[in-house]
Amino acid sequence: MKFEELQLIEPILKALKDKNYTEPTPIQAKAIPTVLKGKDVLGVAQTGTGKTAAFSIPIIQHIHNRSGNSAGKPTLSALILTPTRELAIQIGENIEEYSKYTNIRQTVIFGGVKQHKQVEAMRRGVHVLVATPGRLLDLINQRIINLRNIELFVLDEADRMLDMGFINDIRKLLPLLPKKRQSLFFSATMPDNIVKLSRQILENPIKIEVSPVSSTAETIQQYLYYTNRLTKKNLLNHILEDESMDQVLVFSRTKRGADRVVKGLLKNKTRSAAIHGDKSQNQRQKALKQFKEGDIRVLVATDIAARGIDIDKLRYVINYDIPNLPETYVHRIGRSGRAGEEGIAIAICEPEENAYVRDIEKLINKKIKVLNDHPYPQTETPMTAAEKKEWNKEKDKRKQEFFANRKKSKSQGSSRNGNRRR
Ligand code: AMP
């Protein structure tokens, strides 16, 4: 199928040509005509499927046809709600590109930065607003934004929204939207609470589902290394000796873990940086930019931080740990081999994670190819139940000590520096 067959307006087709998109992805082929017909959509799709364009393109077309060339201050007619700043920025960038031959104006708002520029943009007027929930509510409460003219509402990554605790914000926002509107709801997974939320938002929706979470893209080659806990770091350095791996996204379960991995990599002179929730917005943006531009070779991310990263043609993903939820593994490796490109996903497994590999293989219904030819083979066995209990006790103790020390040094720091914001 071609984009030309979707009855898109010329300015959008031209912009898509500039992006070198030749064919719509499955979700685009299904969602674009449905949204153009004015129907509500329940989309089950994860990032990497092309869902951003699937909702952005019909929004642009709708607004362009309605008020594209009218003079005067634009009316805020479309709201896209998304959980993270990174996602918000990326959606905004995509809309900017797809609408570059129209007069549509859009802006992005998110927390963690000063509001001044965002307020200015809203005062100048936009047709489309991409927002994270907290800052949006904030600006609504300050009467800088109102949603009374919204015709199209998108709730993106609904499952992640709930994971991140945004349910109350969403509940507050819903009554502020006009009853008569078109709504699009996207989520990678559809547990009961998400289905329930979707029912509060959508009216007679058309359900569109692409690549369910259990299916790993055919274009992703998956490999598995078994090793011991303490040799993971060495093994990662060993894997990265292959210099053809020029842009590698490494997943770490925890923020501290991500920092530790970066420390090990830097020691080995591998250009790398971490992004996670404890990094400032600027640090995250900088790391992402450096990664995209090839200034750093390895980006180490936690699952939540990585969710918002969109890098064209990311080839390598390394699971530095094996997630205990097999769906997380599928999401992670979905970051490589995007939109039909070939990808390589490598997992590094310590004895305690052997059981997780079995769960993953059950979910994806295939065996991951094990690579044995490396200097750090797994020689230890998983802990017994008693050993695990003891280990967890020790870990908790260390964690408590860590936080107690941090609290102490923070309060010493703040009494020295006044109450400076970190
Ligand atoms: P998304 O799922 O929206 O995060 O998109 C995943 C990636 O696919 C992004 O890098 C898009 O730029 C790219 N993409 C989206 N639609 C197409 C298309 N029709 N052809 C090629 N690439 C696309």
Side-chain angles (χ1 to χ4, degrees), residues 358-400:
R358 292 193 286 275
D359 292 342
I360 290 167
E361 292 182 330
K362 222 187 282 162
L363 178 77
I364 64 176
N365 201 15
K366 84 175 162 202
K367 282 248 165 262
I368 306 173
K369 189 174 166 45
V370 178
L371 298 180
N372 289 313
D373 187 18
H374 66 91
Y376 308 101
Q378 191 174 92
T379 51
E380 292 163 9
T381 49
M383 287 183 254
T384 61
E387 282 169 340
K388 206 164 196 167
K389 206 168 155 198
E390 196 49 40
W391 158 257
N392 279 333
K393 234 164 81 185
E394 181 62 24
K395 210 165 74 179
D396 281 347
K397 206 173 107 193
R398 278 202 226 155
K399 214 169 163 180
Q400 275 165 12

Side-chain angles (χ1 to χ4, degrees), residues 3 16 19-25 27-28 46-55 57 87 90-91 94 97-98 157 307 309-313 335 338-341:
F3 277 110
L16 293 175
K19 289 276 290 173
N20 283 328
Y21 291 0
T22 47
E23 289 187 356
T25 64
I27 189 143
Q28 291 162 5
Q46 57 194 85
T47 31
T49 54
K51 74 175 158 64
T52 313
F55 62 73
I57 290 172
L87 269 171
Q90 260 150 28
I91 295 171
N94 281 355
E97 288 176 336
Y98 304 143
E157 307 248 337
R307 189 84 177 239
I309 308 173
D310 172 23
I311 297 140
D312 280 338
K313 301 191 186 86
R335 308 317 308 265
R338 322 190 86 197
E341 295 292 327

Side-chain angles (χ1 to χ4, degrees), residues 30 33 35 55 103 110-111 120 122 127 155 180 211 289 295 316 347 350 362 388:
K30 289 180 195 160
V35 182
F55 62 73
N103 289 326
F110 46 81
E120 285 295 299
M122 289 313 300
H127 299 97
L155 188 71
K180 194 174 158 309
S211 54
K289 186 161 178 276
D295 294 336
Y316 300 96
E350 64 180 69
K362 222 187 282 162
K388 206 164 196 167

Side-chain angles (χ1 to χ4, degrees), residues 118-134:
Q118 301 175 358
V119 173
E120 285 295 299
M122 289 313 300
R123 292 231 157 97
R124 281 194 300 273
V126 294
H127 299 97
V128 182
L129 175 64
V130 186
T132 55

